[in-house]
């Protein structure tokens, strides 16, 4: 069974802290994505990666960075967390753009105080 | 930039009613289209997808969607809803040969027993 695992379900951080959100997939997928989900705004793409060490900005990359050193792992980094980054963060992977289907993790709910 | 519009933010229906959720996208080229569902407390999962061929696609749990290219639409339908269909539904699109997948803002569907 396919699995995307996000390391933290719930985090509480203070403004200015550095935050790491980890995501691991066990399906040997090429593509990995980070979205944030906010009520009334749906899912907004932050960054995605189509290969190891490759990354592309999504629609809202400001304030975020990513790292993909290994194929199975895609990390989202908030260099200096701010209150407007309080959100649900969703990691997803897909085999390729040809197949398209995204497999999602459970989500990481981040609260920045 | 491509975008996805979902017309209904919140829909309330009684069991056995028919359902149609609207979705329009802005990109004029070849696209792949998806509907995802998020049941309460669960992660997002694929309901159905359209890549090419028959514009009427069938998905899981009795859902179907019709791609109308001239209207840039991909509406989701179900002839008779059940209480268990209560969930949030997201339309998504990606341009052919592009790994980036963009989501709409979602529609919350509430089925009254």
């Amino acid at each position: 069974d396919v699995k995307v695992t996000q390391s933290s379900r719930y985090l509480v951080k203070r403004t200015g802290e550095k935050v790491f959100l980890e995501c691991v997939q066990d399906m040997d997928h090429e593509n990995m994505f980070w979205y944030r989900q906010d009520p009334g705004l749906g899912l907004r793409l932050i960054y995605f990666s189509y290969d190891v060490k490759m990354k592309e900005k999504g629609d809202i990359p400001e304030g975020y960075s990513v790292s993909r050193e290994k194929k199975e792992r895609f990390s989202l980094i908030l260099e200096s967390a701010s209150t407007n980054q309080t959100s649900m963060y969703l990691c997803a992977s897909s085999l390729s753009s040809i197949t398209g289907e995204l497999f999602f993790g459970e989500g990481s709910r981040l609260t920045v105080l | 930039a491509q975008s996805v519009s979902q017309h209904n933010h919140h829909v309330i229906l009684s069991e056995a009613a028919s359902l149609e959720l609207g979705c329009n996208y802005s990109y004029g080229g070849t696209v792949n289209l998806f509907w995802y569902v998020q049941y309460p407390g669960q992660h997002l999962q694929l309901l159905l997808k359209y890549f090419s061929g028959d514009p009427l696609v069938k998905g899981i749990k009795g859902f179907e969607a019709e791609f109308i290219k001239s209207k840039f639409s991909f509406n989701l339908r179900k002839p008779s809803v059940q209480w268990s269909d209560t969930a949030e539904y997201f339309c998504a699109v990606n341009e052919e040969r592009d790994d980036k997948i963009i989501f709409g803002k979602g529609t919350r569907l509430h089925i009254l027993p």
Side-chain angles (χ1 to χ4, degrees):
Chain A
D1 203 9
V2 298
K3 197 159 181 68
V4 177
T5 303
Q6 295 183 230
S7 55
S8 305
R9 291 294 305 277
Y10 302 94
L11 301 97
V12 179
K13 299 291 182 180
R14 296 205 175 274
T15 301
E17 282 192 84
K18 190 169 187 176
V19 182
F20 291 90
L21 299 179
E22 301 282 331
C23 176
V24 176
Q25 50 98 0
D26 65 358
M27 297 165 283
D28 201 34
H29 282 175
E30 300 293 331
N31 301 335
M32 295 188 75
F33 304 78
W34 276 105
Y35 291 90
R36 63 178 281 178
Q37 183 178 15
D38 300 287
L41 297 179
L43 277 73
R44 292 179 291 168
L45 182 63
I46 305 172
Y47 268 97
F48 67 102
S49 168
Y50 52 89
D51 201 351
V52 175
K53 296 189 186 294
M54 305 301 287
K55 61 186 179 185
E56 290 278 347
K57 291 181 180 179
D59 295 323
I60 53 164
E62 296 79 18
Y64 303 94
S65 61
V66 290
S67 171
R68 194 167 181 200
E69 296 296 319
K70 294 184 177 181
K71 190 176 186 180
E72 67 271 17
R73 189 179 298 271
F74 191 38
S75 302
L76 180 69
I77 303 152
L78 288 67
E79 292 290 342
S80 178
S82 63
T83 55
N84 62 12
Q85 292 179 309
T86 291
S87 186
M88 173 67 86
Y89 290 88
L90 300 179
C91 176
S93 70
S94 70
L95 182 60
S96 72
S97 60
I98 297 172
T99 63
E101 180 179 357
L102 291 174
F103 293 87
F104 283 88
E106 299 282 346
S108 297
R109 185 167 292 283
L110 172 66
T111 301
V112 182
L113 302 176
Chain B
Q2 58 180 287
S3 66
V4 179
S5 297
Q6 291 185 239
H7 314 302
N8 314 99
H9 299 297
H10 197 181
V11 173
I12 302 173
L13 295 172
S14 298
E15 274 194 308
S18 64
L19 170 71
E20 181 160 3
L21 302 182
C23 173
N24 286 91
Y25 62 93
S26 64
Y27 183 66
T30 302
V31 294
N32 302 318
L33 297 155
F34 310 84
W35 276 97
Y36 284 83
V37 60
Q38 188 173 32
Y39 297 105
Q42 297 187 25
H43 60 273
L44 277 120
Q45 57 187 285
L46 183 69
L47 203 53
L48 48 77
K49 63 182 179 183
Y50 171 81
F51 275 43
S52 63
D54 188 345
L56 184 63
V57 293
K58 296 192 182 297
I60 60 172
K61 302 187 181 185
F63 285 91
E64 65 180 31
E66 184 176 13
F67 171 51
I68 303 179
K69 190 173 182 179
S70 60
K71 294 185 178 180
F72 301 93
S73 70
F74 189 56
N75 292 354
L76 181 71
R77 301 195 294 245
K78 186 170 183 178
S80 177
V81 294
Q82 300 172 301
W83 178 78
S84 58
D85 293 325
T86 293
E88 191 160 15
Y89 293 81
F90 295 91
C91 183
V93 62
N94 80 301
E95 302 170 27
E96 195 180 44
R97 293 186 298 276
D98 187 350
D99 296 304
K100 183 176 171 180
I101 300 176
I102 301 299
F103 283 77
K105 293 184 178 181
T107 298
R108 283 190 182 276
L109 176 64
H110 186 72
I111 306 299
L112 303 173

